[in-house]
């Protein structure tokens, strides 16, 4: 009997079964059908999912970039197949993986990837709120954009400091998708780049001011391929943050590869 681990983000669906890793494009799959195909082929005992969207108590609340045909995903698989299914938000999963290797009980995780997300460990406990949708830093208002965010608003930080936000700005201005490095190098995209940095600093400073973490860990695809952003935050956060929360604060890059997928393992152990 095997355990299936899945990390599904806005761009990739990664799965691990019997130590073998597989990566496919999220847009090509419906999560429920993807799992059902694996269940037909393999003898799976339980499933742990790190999910890039809002999820509470085994129920998908919102997933703008992921197709899931059964919202009550935990109930559906457990009833139909008699297996256990654990699922949590991907940032919470990544935080579980970070907390395993950190000596601190107060950690704020800020991810810049397809979206802009955060998760906070406060005295050893993940802050969850009443519906497991806390720390949605990407949807804090910043400034008005000429298009909408996945949440329906037009002024979210995520519209400026995320992969999907950058893509929307480029398409709006009539350009094809390009990386942050390419955007940074071109003078004509100066405003997009400046807004990106400003929104990133505001996000980092807001979670630090609100939650007073010992460690602020930066991760996600855009941070991974632009590690200078960690120094940008270190060097400039003082202009945005409540000064006293800087005392003893360590700002660093995540050193864990596939943290969300590793965190999915922890869901099984914790439950
Ligand atoms: Zn939003």
């Amino acid at each position: 009997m095997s355990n299936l681990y899945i990390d599904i983000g806005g761009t990739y669906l990664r799965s691990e079964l019997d130590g073998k890793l597989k990566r496919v494009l999220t847009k090509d799959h419906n999560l429920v059908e993807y799992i059902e195909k694996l269940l037909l082929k393999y003898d799976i005992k339980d499933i742990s999912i790190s999910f890039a969207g809002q999820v509470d108590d085994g129920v998908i609340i919102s997933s703008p970039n992921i197709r899931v045909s059964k919202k009550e995903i935990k109930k559906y698989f457990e009833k139909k197949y008699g297996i256990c299914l654990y699922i949590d938000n991907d940032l919470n999963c990544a935080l579980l993986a970070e907390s395993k290797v950190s000596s601190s009980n107060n950690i704020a995780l800020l991810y810049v990837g397809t979206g802009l997300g955060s998760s906070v460990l406060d005295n050893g406990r993940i802050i969850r709120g009443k519906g497991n949708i806390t720390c949605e830093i990407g949807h804090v208002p910043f400034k008005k954009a000429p298009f909408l965010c996945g949440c329906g608003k037009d002024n979210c930080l995520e519209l400026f400091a995320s992969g999907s936000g950058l893509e929307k700005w480029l398409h709006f201005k009539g350009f094809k998708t390009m990386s942050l490095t390419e955007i940074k190098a071109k003078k004509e995209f100066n405003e997009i780049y400046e807004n990106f940095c400003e929104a990133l600093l505001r996000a980092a400073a807001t979670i630090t001011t609100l939650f007073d973490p010992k460690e602020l860990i930066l991760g996600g695809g855009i941070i991974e391929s632009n590690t200078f952003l960690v120094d940008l935050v270190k060097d400039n956060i003082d202009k945005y943050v409540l000064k006293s929360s800087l005392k003893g604060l360590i700002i660093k890059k995540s050193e864990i590869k596939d943290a969300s997928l590793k965190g999915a393992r922890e869901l099984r152990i914790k439950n």
Side-chain angles (χ1 to χ4, degrees):
M1 296 278 267
S2 311
N3 305 310
L4 171 65
Y5 305 109
I6 289 179
D7 170 35
I8 183 159
T11 310
Y12 294 112
L13 186 169
R14 295 180 179 85
S15 59
E16 186 186 341
L17 188 65
D18 296 332
K20 281 190 203 110
L21 288 166
K22 198 179 165 193
R23 190 178 82 168
V24 294
L25 286 172
T26 298
K27 67 175 174 52
D28 295 341
H29 297 274
N30 178 305
L31 180 61
V32 173
E33 289 165 12
Y34 183 84
I35 294 172
E36 288 192 314
K37 273 185 200 151
L38 289 175
L39 284 170
L40 282 177
K41 226 169 140 187
Y42 301 96
D43 193 10
I44 293 168
K45 187 172 64 174
D46 57 38
I47 304 167
S48 302
I49 306 170
S50 157
F51 186 83
Q54 295 169 4
V55 48
D56 185 30
D57 205 15
V59 181
I60 310 287
I61 309 297
S62 163
S63 60
N65 304 309
I66 301 170
R67 283 186 293 137
V68 189
S69 49
K70 306 279 180 219
K71 298 292 175 201
E72 294 194 4
I73 190 166
K74 180 178 171 67
K75 207 167 139 189
Y76 174 76
F77 279 102
E78 294 192 346
K79 217 174 154 189
K80 188 168 175 187
Y81 296 94
I83 53 175
C84 291
L85 186 141
Y86 312 103
I87 182 167
D88 200 354
N89 169 267
D90 58 341
L91 265 293
N92 290 346
C93 289
L95 183 60
L96 286 174
E98 295 288 350
S99 70
K100 262 200 96 176
V101 299
S102 171
S103 57
S104 176
N105 270 333
N106 293 282
I107 306 170
L109 189 62
L110 178 63
Y111 262 41
V112 192
T114 309
L116 175 70
S118 67
S119 179
V120 173
L121 191 75
D122 179 64
N123 289 308
R125 289 183 62 181
I126 294 180
I127 298 176
R128 293 191 180 274
K130 65 184 188 312
N132 203 29
I133 50 166
T134 51
C135 305
E136 287 281 357
I137 193 76
H139 304 289
V140 166
F142 175 41
K143 51 174 134 174
K144 226 172 156 49
F147 35 73
L148 294 179
C149 177
C151 76
K153 292 193 287 111
D154 66 354
N155 58 0
C156 300
L157 282 168
E158 184 169 292
L159 289 172
F160 296 85
S162 73
S164 59
L166 289 175
E167 192 173 304
K168 281 177 180 172
W169 277 106
L170 290 166
H171 289 183
F172 176 73
K173 290 182 184 286
F175 294 92
K176 62 170 181 54
T177 304
M178 59 186 91
S179 70
L180 185 69
T181 321
E182 291 170 293
I183 291 170
K184 191 183 172 209
K186 289 196 172 71
K187 246 199 171 130
E188 61 199 294
F189 299 137
N190 201 22
E191 196 187 347
I192 297 177
Y193 179 68
E194 292 297 323
N195 277 334
F196 176 94
C197 296
E198 172 90 14
L200 171 64
L201 284 162
R202 280 185 188 238
T206 302
I207 55 171
T208 304
T209 302
L210 291 177
F211 301 109
D212 188 27
K214 171 86 182 158
E215 291 182 353
L216 171 63
I217 303 176
L218 304 175
I222 292 192
I223 298 287
E224 286 301 325
S225 37
N226 300 275
T227 50
F228 69 90
L229 292 171
V230 179
D231 286 329
L232 180 113
V233 172
K234 277 186 193 169
D235 296 343
N236 297 285
I237 195 170
D238 62 316
K239 299 180 195 85
Y240 298 81
V241 80
L242 177 70
K243 295 277 188 293
S244 43
S245 58
L246 282 180
K247 200 173 167 232
L249 174 71
I250 297 161
I251 300 172
K252 61 180 190 180
K253 190 178 87 64
S254 168
E255 297 301 338
I256 303 178
K257 199 171 174 285
D258 296 329
S260 304
L261 188 61
K262 289 202 172 83
R265 290 172 161 268
E266 299 304 311
L267 294 178
R268 199 176 136 254
I269 295 159
K270 275 194 172 312
N271 279 279

